[in-house]
Amino acid sequence: MHGHRPHTPASERSRRWFMNKALLAGGVAAVATMTGCSNGSSDTASSTSAAPSGAPSGMPSGGPGGGGGGGGGMGPGVSQVKYADVKGVTADGTVVDDLFTVHSTGVSTDGLVKAAQAFLDGLSAKERKSCTFDVDADEWTAWSNVDGYDRKGVRMGDLTEKKRDLGYALLGVALSADGLTQTRNIMKLNQFLGDSNGGNQKTLTEGHYFFTFMGTPSTTKPWGFQYEGHHVAINYFVLGDQVVATPTFMGSEPTTATYQGEKISLFRPETTAGLAMIRSLTAAQLAKAVSSQGNGNEDMKAGAGSDNLKLAYEGLRGSELTAAQRKKLLAVAAVYIGYISEGHAEVRTAEVEKHLDDTYFYWMGETKDDSAFYYRVHSPVVLIEYDAQAPLFYHGASAANGTPSQEHIHTVVRTPNGGDYGVDLLKLHLDNDH
């Protein structure tokens, strides 16, 4: 480590304020000096096989969307949980049993298997070796949101156009049309961010995103893939016709921009659905749902490195909602769930709806259209976080004073109680079928 200290929300905001003041006033050299990270330096998070690497030119390690100990990204001070040690997010440290079963969903994964196999078949022997792991490999939990993180796998920017197209075809089968568009637009705005800060930064490009595969694509045996880079991490486990697409992290800075003539606006559905939900509540309900603490700069709890997070339920419980409010709460979850393929999204939504009485809605911050706020949807089978943070390297005025804004948003979706990465399903499969 390079003298990095554990970050509190207050110290993190202060650190980022000074970093951005340095960037605006003195440029790259000032930032590198203040963070203690220069090009080619590295930070090693304990117990991780893929540690945060040195900063790209013009950005500190753990730069835009990075994060310290606040769960926003596996940066300095955040350690990887080994796959064998994953028990999942819990409310109090105790895993709720019998939430998940190995069963048929009736939604075919044949196309997904074919797309994954086509991508792998298109790689060279060296490329394929670099991105394939055992189904229970620690690579599952080695994802990060940090731009300068040292990732394994095949890098999209290093592949030929034909091979990249096969990769996008796989994402197109695994995700819905909205999910693919969201992912691609996050990648484009990552390039926009890099260009806005002088360019020539390998990690802040459309191409700095990586595929890894755990197990072998199959319609009967467990396998999965991971697609990740700055502001995107998609973990996709498959067993027969069952799919677990969590943890999934999506974010962006900025969230609105014109890139190569294309106007891009991200996280509007997530923002709108959250506001619709909070505005539907009565005064008595608001007293339970809204925290007395205003939102800070980094409120996300369940980012990278938080696979065994203990997070108590907070806010307003679903059983206390009217029928109309319950529909709005489910609609919030459906926005995030809707980024996976349609059939599996319907299966997942039904699973979430089954536990709606035990689903809590929690809010921090104001409720105006342009407010920066945090909200959480939390039940035994789903955890969703939306977190508006301070811009770091875009829109200088906002970045300079550390004020959260809708121009920098992080979101994460998890399946608590051992559901993430298909951990519980894999255990059940191995116990019963082998």
Side-chain angles (χ1 to χ4, degrees):
M1 303 293 285
H2 290 272
H4 292 285
R5 302 173 188 171
H7 298 158
T8 63
S11 68
E12 181 66 11
R13 176 178 292 194
S14 176
R15 180 182 77 94
R16 291 187 172 210
W17 186 88
F18 279 112
M19 283 200 304
N20 286 288
K21 286 291 284 186
L23 179 67
L24 293 168
V28 173
V31 173
T33 300
M34 296 194 74
T35 60
C37 299
S38 61
N39 198 30
S41 68
S42 64
D43 291 302
T44 304
S46 61
S47 303
T48 179
S49 59
S53 71
S57 174
M59 295 291 173
S61 178
M74 199 184 296
V78 182
S79 298
Q80 178 192 353
V81 176
K82 296 296 186 180
Y83 184 88
D85 297 328
V86 173
K87 70 177 188 178
V89 175
T90 60
D92 58 7
T94 302
V95 176
V96 178
D97 294 325
D98 301 323
L99 289 172
F100 313 108
T101 62
V102 176
H103 64 276
S104 175
T105 65
V107 182
S108 175
T109 55
D110 290 356
L112 183 65
V113 171
K114 290 177 181 177
Q117 197 60 58
F119 176 71
L120 288 168
D121 287 346
L123 301 177
S124 69
K126 182 178 180 181
E127 290 168 340
R128 183 163 181 162
K129 183 178 180 180
S130 73
C131 71
T132 53
F133 300 83
D134 292 336
V135 72
D136 58 352
D138 290 337
E139 182 59 25
W140 275 121
T141 63
W143 63 273
S144 171
N145 176 51
V146 175
D147 63 310
Y149 194 71
D150 186 13
R151 295 173 167 88
K152 295 182 180 180
V154 288
R155 181 178 179 271
M156 291 290 272
D158 294 334
L159 299 178
T160 64
E161 183 178 359
K162 182 178 180 180
K163 294 177 182 179
R164 283 198 302 272
D165 286 344
L166 289 171
Y168 290 135
L170 169 56
L171 290 177
V173 177
L175 305 176
S176 65
D178 287 344
L180 180 61
T181 298
Q182 175 103 326
T183 302
R184 291 290 287 115
N185 282 344
I186 290 171
M187 296 167 63
K188 291 173 183 177
L189 291 192
N190 190 52
Q191 176 84 50
F192 178 89
L193 180 62
D195 292 345
S196 298
N197 285 276
N200 299 316
Q201 300 162 53
K202 184 178 181 181
T203 65
L204 297 179
T205 60
E206 277 194 71
H208 202 67
Y209 293 84
F210 295 73
F211 267 111
T212 53
F213 290 80
M214 275 55 81
T216 302
S218 168
T219 57
T220 57
K221 296 181 180 179
W223 68 282
F225 72 88
Q226 186 180 78
Y227 185 74
E228 64 130 354
H230 185 215
H231 279 142
V232 171
I234 300 169
N235 291 281
Y236 211 97
F237 174 85
V238 184
L239 175 60
D241 62 11
Q242 288 182 270
V243 160
V244 179
T246 60
T248 289
F249 181 106
M250 291 185 174
S252 189
E253 181 198 0
T255 58
T256 56
T258 298
Y259 173 70
Q260 295 184 354
E262 179 185 2
K263 292 183 179 180
I264 297 174
S265 181
L266 290 169
F267 301 107
R268 297 315 305 158
E270 293 88 340
T271 300
T272 301
L275 286 170
M277 179 61 202
I278 195 68
R279 290 170 178 174
S280 75
L281 303 183
T282 66
Q285 290 172 325
L286 286 170
K288 293 183 178 182
V290 180
S291 171
S292 59
Q293 175 185 349
N295 65 306
N297 186 27
E298 286 194 12
D299 295 305
M300 179 174 283
K301 304 296 183 184
S306 304
D307 293 316
N308 288 344
L309 174 71
K310 286 192 287 186
L311 183 64
Y313 294 118
E314 294 182 275
L316 181 66
R317 189 173 178 175
S319 59
E320 301 178 74
L321 300 176
T322 66
Q325 291 169 335
R326 287 165 65 88
K327 287 182 179 179
K328 283 181 167 39
L329 179 58
L330 190 61
V332 176
V335 171
Y336 298 84
I337 296 169
Y339 289 138
I340 65 174
S341 58
E342 183 178 352
H344 287 107
E346 290 178 0
V347 171
R348 177 68 165 141
T349 301
E351 180 181 58
V352 171
E353 186 173 15
K354 182 180 177 181
H355 295 270
L356 208 57
D357 276 351
D358 298 320
T359 301
Y360 288 75
F361 185 70
Y362 178 69
W363 186 278
M364 297 172 67
E366 301 296 325
T367 60
K368 297 178 182 177
D369 286 352
D370 60 352
S371 294
F373 49 79
Y374 166 95
Y375 70 76
R376 182 191 310 155
V377 177
H378 189 188
S379 85
V381 297
V382 72
L383 171 61
I384 296 168
E385 291 187 279
Y386 169 109
D387 189 16
Q389 303 188 352
L392 299 181
F393 294 97
Y394 190 68
H395 291 175
S398 296
N401 62 21
T403 302
S405 161
Q406 287 186 21
E407 280 301 335
H408 188 184
I409 292 173
H410 286 185
T411 68
V412 70
V413 185
R414 283 185 176 270
T415 308
N417 295 298
D420 280 341
Y421 314 106
V423 168
D424 197 54
L425 289 185
L426 181 58
K427 288 179 181 178
L428 288 171
H429 170 76
L430 295 176
D431 288 345
N432 296 323
D433 296 344
H434 294 280

